[in-house]
Amino acid sequence: RLLPETWNHAGPERIRRLVRHVLFDVDLVELPTGVAALRSVKGSPQVLGVTRGRLNVTGGGQSVHVPVGGFVLLPAAAETVEVQPLE
């Protein structure tokens, strides 16, 4: 179901839950350019989609640049990843 517009602040991140479902959640996360954030995968895979700018995602010994409109899968085995907006 779609949820009302409520923003939570976690450090430099602004997070808004868009959808809550028994199988998955969809969150909108805003992060200022140049500020890195650690994302905890916690044993379940996550998918990051970029709606504005570009991201550099580092984890599990790999680093990936994700352009606007792109997606990246964070495997459950990664535990934590670093996400950094580039622009």
Side-chain angles (χ1 to χ4, degrees), residues 38-71:
L38 289 178
R39 303 284 302 165
S40 176
V41 181
K42 294 184 183 174
S44 64
Q46 295 180 13
V47 176
L48 295 180
V50 180
T51 59
R52 189 176 14 192
R54 295 179 298 130
L55 288 180
N56 186 54
V57 181
T58 305
Q62 307 231 354
S63 185
V64 177
H65 292 285
V66 187
V68 67
F71 291 85

Side-chain angles (χ1 to χ4, degrees), residues 5-84:
E5 185 171 338
T6 303
W7 288 92
N8 295 313
H9 299 274
E13 296 180 339
R14 284 182 5 124
I15 303 169
R16 178 180 170 213
R17 172 101 351 125
L18 299 175
V19 176
R20 176 171 287 137
H21 187 273
V22 253
L23 300 176
F24 63 89
D25 295 327
V26 177
D27 295 335
L28 175 62
V29 178
E30 293 183 351
L31 189 63
T33 300
V35 175
L38 289 178
R39 303 284 302 165
S40 176
V41 181
K42 294 184 183 174
S44 64
Q46 295 180 13
V47 176
L48 295 180
V50 180
T51 59
R52 189 176 14 192
R54 295 179 298 130
L55 288 180
N56 186 54
V57 181
T58 305
Q62 307 231 354
S63 185
V64 177
H65 292 285
V66 187
V68 67
F71 291 85
V72 62
L73 172 66
L74 307 179
E79 294 183 19
T80 59
V81 297
E82 181 183 78
V83 178
Q84 182 172 18

